[in-house]
Amino acid sequence: MRKFLMILMAGLATAVMGSAGAFAEPVKVGFVYLTNPGDHGWTYAHEVARQEVEAHFGDKVETSYVENVPEGPDATRVVRELARQGNKIIFTTSFGYMDPTLKVAKEFPDVKFEHITGYKRSTNMATGNIRFYEGRYVQGVVAGMMTKSNRIGYIASFPIPEVIQGINAFAAGLREVNPNAEMSIIWVSSWYDPVKEADAAKVHIAEGADILAQHTDSPAMLQTAEKAGVFGFGQSSDMKAFAPKAQLFSSVNNWTPYYISKIEQLMDGSWSTGEGPDHWAGNTWKGMADDYLVLTPFENMPADVAAKAQGAADKIKGGMNIFTGPLKDNEGNTVIGAGEALDDGGLWGMNYYLEGVLGKIPG
């Protein structure tokens, strides 16, 4: 019995030493960025969070990032190199990194991977996202009350569910306060292309739009709006500095709590991909109620519009489901019946425009 206890104690000591050893050196954390972080937009928001991770953990972590990584085969090389460099957890921050991340995750089973905005996962690859569409609903409410022409110009990137959700959330808010307003969509097939975004904004304005919105990454749309004397919304980070007279508010992505929580889980051994096998329910997808999405102050609008916007934001934080029926698509078909509400699976299956959106989704 005594021999058994000694063996057991020795085993426990080894386990404790092993656990402590895992924290003896800083945990290496890698990030893959689509563009240069700069001072605005999608990648900038991730960079802000990375810096706050360093401030939070101090010398317990060592972070690094690779910028200007194209979506595609080159991303595989970059992610693999970060794994070889000893990073214990790697955040890949664009939808197009999904398959490259999955491929490298299978090669490095002891490394944790976090893919942003995707839906594929494995035993060591989780997914994380923000409910961006919630801010766009509030944008729609403001646009519906501010527009004089009843024409809204929307600049979209790629026809994937995340972008369709945003368009439809905007339309739901727009038509809730102004049933006569309509949205026109221009697809630029890019997340970040200031020239294309500016050109698209000019087309929208020429066609009568007096409010602009975007699911792209540069301030070009807002700068174009400022020159033309119309209004718009910033995206991913506060873009007021680029168009102080045109910005109504910005929807700001706050990745800090997500990054910190996942690194803490890695450190304490509780990291997992969640319970859902192929559905968002198992992974991180939070929004305004959890401060993952933050709205800047409402500006350049009358007090009654600001009050309505604040009311819409409060309702979302209180748990309101934006997509509660009855709602029709833009061909008059009922897509969400009276008393029904879309769940997360339905959100990711959206393949239609709601009433008020002109045109069809590109095939």
Side-chain angles (χ1 to χ4, degrees):
M1 182 65 181
R2 183 180 178 186
K3 183 178 180 181
F4 170 76
L5 287 173
M6 291 179 66
I7 293 173
L8 177 62
M9 292 178 67
L12 287 172
T14 301
V16 170
M17 287 176 65
S19 175
F23 298 95
E25 296 180 353
V27 174
K28 297 186 73 171
V29 184
F31 296 82
V32 182
Y33 292 161
L34 185 63
T35 62
N36 180 290
D39 59 359
H40 63 269
W42 176 264
T43 299
Y44 172 72
H46 286 288
E47 172 60 9
V48 169
R50 185 194 66 82
Q51 293 177 14
E52 291 181 354
V53 162
E54 289 192 335
H56 177 82
F57 289 104
D59 59 7
K60 294 180 180 177
V61 299
E62 179 183 319
T63 74
S64 63
Y65 65 84
V66 182
E67 62 185 34
N68 292 320
V69 179
E71 295 177 325
D74 200 41
T76 305
R77 179 187 62 78
V78 172
V79 178
R80 182 181 291 124
E81 184 58 28
L82 284 172
R84 286 173 174 164
Q85 291 172 3
N87 287 286
K88 299 301 182 186
I89 185 166
I90 298 171
F91 295 90
T92 57
T93 66
S94 189
F95 180 80
Y97 297 153
M98 182 165 60
D99 287 330
T101 305
L102 187 63
K103 182 176 182 179
V104 179
K106 292 176 180 175
E107 298 172 9
F108 294 86
D110 294 331
V111 177
K112 309 304 183 190
F113 295 83
E114 295 279 346
H115 178 239
I116 304 301
T117 73
Y119 56 86
K120 295 181 181 178
R121 67 185 63 133
S122 67
T123 54
N124 62 326
M125 174 179 161
T127 53
N129 210 336
I130 293 176
R131 294 181 185 269
F132 309 113
Y133 67 87
E134 293 181 344
R136 292 192 168 89
Y137 168 79
V138 182
Q139 292 179 7
V141 170
V142 171
M145 296 182 73
M146 290 289 291
T147 182
K148 305 297 182 188
S149 66
N150 283 338
R151 182 87 173 191
I152 311 301
Y154 198 106
I155 301 171
S157 48
F158 298 99
I160 60 175
E162 175 191 311
V163 179
I164 306 299
Q165 292 163 18
I167 292 170
N168 284 335
F170 193 106
L174 178 73
R175 299 289 284 218
E176 184 177 304
V177 300
N178 185 348
N180 297 316
E182 295 180 319
M183 296 169 58
S184 175
I185 315 297
I186 293 179
W187 295 90
V188 295
S189 300
S190 174
W191 296 112
Y192 184 87
D193 190 324
V195 175
K196 280 187 176 180
E197 293 167 50
D199 288 345
K202 291 173 184 174
V203 171
H204 276 313
I205 294 169
E207 291 179 346
D210 58 356
I211 307 288
L212 303 179
Q214 66 187 106
H215 199 130
T216 48
D217 202 25
S218 89
M221 181 206 77
L222 268 178
Q223 291 170 316
T224 305
E226 178 108 342
K227 291 178 182 175
V230 302
F231 297 102
F233 304 94
Q235 195 61 42
S236 296
S237 66
D238 188 355
M239 295 184 171
K240 179 181 177 179
F242 298 95
K245 295 179 181 177
Q247 176 173 289
L248 296 165
F249 69 89
S250 284
S251 297
V252 177
N253 304 337
N254 176 24
W255 296 102
T256 302
Y258 173 67
Y259 287 165
I260 288 177
S261 69
K262 299 303 289 189
I263 294 168
E264 285 178 339
Q265 289 173 19
L266 174 72
M267 289 177 167
D268 66 20
S270 65
W271 186 96
S272 76
T273 60
E275 300 300 325
D278 290 304
H279 191 268
W280 283 101
N283 281 187
T284 303
W285 196 24
K286 297 183 179 181
M288 291 170 58
D290 296 288
D291 289 332
Y292 275 51
L293 187 70
V294 179
L295 307 185
T296 63
F298 304 123
E299 299 178 288
N300 297 318
M301 66 184 77
D304 64 321
V305 180
K308 188 74 172 179
Q310 187 60 56
D314 291 343
K315 285 193 293 185
I316 292 174
K317 288 184 176 181
M320 181 192 77
N321 188 324
I322 294 166
F323 299 105
T324 298
L327 290 174
K328 293 182 178 179
D329 65 19
N330 66 353
E331 295 180 348
N333 305 304
T334 298
V335 289
I336 306 171
E340 298 177 353
L342 214 57
D343 61 15
D344 286 351
L347 273 171
W348 286 92
M350 270 187 173
N351 58 357
Y352 51 82
Y353 284 151
L354 285 182
E355 214 170 21
V357 184
L358 302 173
K360 294 184 177 181
I361 299 172

